[in-house]
Amino acid sequence: FGRMKPVIVVHGGAGRIFKEREEGSRAGVVRAALRGYGILKRGGSALDAVEEAVQSMEDDPHFNAGCGSVLNEKGEVEMDAIIMDGKNLDSGAVSAVKCIANPIKLARLVMEKTKHMLLTDHGAHLFAQAMGVPEIPGEKLITERSRERWKKNLEPDSNPEEFQKDLGTVGAVAIDSEGNVACATSTGGLSNKLVGRVGDTACIGSGGYADNRSGATSTTGHGESIMKVVLARLILYHMEQGLSPEMAADTALDYMKTRVGGLGGVIVVNSSGEWAARFSTKQMAWATVKDDQLHYGIYAGERHTKSVDEALTSEREGF
């Protein structure tokens, strides 16, 4: 067996990224991709790499996941996350969880320490306690920006739909040197959503899917639309029919747009290490590392390239 060249791809959410947030979003996805790649480079697993990359973005207030998550109608943070192992199709997910810093870590524990795949709300909370996951006050996850937006959306003439275009789910996909693939996705959901609303992120096949036989994908965008077409699984289906990651992603996104009017973005890696980052929204922050080359962008057609060494140096010196 020739060893695979490891690849990681990350996204920081599809939608509209406001000018003053662009730099932070770019820096955030680059940092996440470099951290995930570091694990792969040392011979680590795709699973560890995607978890690390997503955790990095959960901890970054620029993204709608972990710290920086948007608020539900009652002004609270409720988060969803999923992780999946392409080797045996094992998956773990949590939905509507509160008061923990890294839902993706809890999802991984669900996968590895229970016979189940999805724990929600109170049950997920009890499981987190049993696993010794530190609880943090809900306020710690709330940024000034999320609170401002929540207030704006409460005004009688407001249109939360407008704001929901700036979504910012985070995700990662990877293939490691053994040829195993994995995906991870995490989100705070939709601003001013109903209490208990769960979107596509925690749903296997919608928010993400990974299968060594075809590849892995993580999605972002309008959750309800993504669920209607089971977007992540649909992309892998197209790859199973012989399409490249880019063609498979475009075909599935196009179908979601024409069939249900939904916009979104996806990252994909196939079983031979080809990757894609595609979106039908205005923007999507993404970054990838392959062959020690970092590529990243936000706008359609935008692609910067740096060597990993150069990127790590500027990372240490602050962007």
Side-chain angles (χ1 to χ4, degrees):
F1 282 111
R3 282 167 79 68
M4 276 296 304
K5 283 196 168 141
V7 182
I8 186 157
V9 195
V10 306
H11 71 72
R16 186 181 53 181
I17 298 162
F18 296 104
K19 267 282 183 268
E20 73 275 9
R21 306 182 56 73
E22 267 180 33
E23 267 327 291
S25 296
R26 268 197 199 92
V29 289
V30 164
R31 184 179 308 120
L34 290 170
R35 279 169 72 167
Y37 190 68
I39 287 177
L40 296 171
K41 197 71 180 152
R42 296 191 294 273
S45 70
L47 212 50
D48 285 344
V50 294
E51 182 185 15
E52 174 71 26
V54 164
Q55 188 191 327
S56 165
M57 291 183 285
E58 284 177 341
D59 292 340
D60 185 330
H62 281 94
F63 303 108
N64 174 18
C67 174
S69 288
V70 298
L71 312 187
N72 66 17
E73 55 174 0
K74 287 221 155 64
E76 307 164 323
V77 165
E78 287 185 302
M79 301 166 291
D80 308 326
I82 193 168
I83 193 165
M84 187 166 182
D85 184 349
K87 196 176 355 190
N88 46 20
L89 306 187
D90 273 352
S91 178
V94 292
S95 65
V97 295
K98 303 180 176 102
C99 303
I100 59 166
N102 299 109
I104 200 64
K105 286 184 137 164
L106 193 57
R108 174 102 188 239
L109 288 169
V110 170
M111 176 172 79
E112 292 181 345
K113 306 287 186 202
T114 77
K115 291 192 172 71
H116 307 309
M117 286 169 74
L118 172 60
L119 289 182
T120 194
D121 199 358
H122 182 60
H125 173 74
L126 293 177
F127 174 66
Q129 282 181 328
M131 290 288 115
V133 173
E135 224 176 289
I136 61 168
E139 295 75 73
K140 274 242 164 52
L141 297 170
I142 299 178
T143 59
E144 198 40 53
R145 176 171 166 270
S146 296
R147 198 181 293 283
E148 282 303 295
R149 169 183 307 186
W150 173 71
K151 282 200 191 116
K152 265 212 175 71
N153 286 343
L154 289 178
E155 290 165 10
D157 58 346
S158 85
N159 176 11
E161 307 293 305
E162 247 327 283
F163 275 102
Q164 287 166 4
K165 292 193 173 73
D166 176 28
L167 292 162
T169 297
V170 306
V173 295
I175 187 165
D176 59 30
S177 54
E178 306 284 312
N180 291 316
V181 298
C183 70
T185 313
S186 179
T187 191
L190 288 180
S191 189
N192 298 65
K193 61 190 178 181
L194 294 181
V195 170
R197 177 264 188 188
V198 176
D200 65 294
T201 299
C203 301
I204 189 171
S206 293
Y209 202 81
D211 182 348
N212 279 7
R213 291 179 183 180
S214 43
T217 180
S218 167
T219 67
T220 166
H222 185 244
E224 281 71 12
S225 299
I226 291 171
M227 290 158 97
K228 287 175 186 176
V229 302
V230 198
L231 185 62
R233 190 65 193 84
L234 182 59
I235 292 166
L236 291 195
Y237 164 78
H238 286 309
M239 294 204 297
E240 288 156 3
Q241 303 303 302
L243 293 189
S244 68
E246 188 159 305
M247 280 298 301
D250 287 352
T251 305
L253 283 168
D254 191 51
Y255 175 71
M256 183 167 82
K257 192 173 179 176
T258 54
R259 187 69 178 87
V260 297
L263 300 180
V266 299
I267 50 173
V268 191
V269 64
N270 72 8
S271 51
S272 47
E274 300 172 294
W275 63 273
R278 309 293 291 169
F279 47 99
S280 52
T281 51
K282 276 217 174 83
Q283 292 147 291
M284 180 179 80
W286 64 272
T288 183
V289 187
K290 180 179 181 174
D291 286 331
D292 287 319
Q293 290 289 305
L294 163 77
H295 308 277
Y296 60 98
I298 284 188
Y299 291 93
E302 174 193 358
R303 182 158 159 187
H304 306 281
T305 304
K306 279 181 179 179
S307 75
V308 164
D309 290 343
E310 187 190 344
L312 284 169
T313 308
S314 58
E315 177 71 18
R316 277 191 291 270
E317 289 158 8
F319 247 65

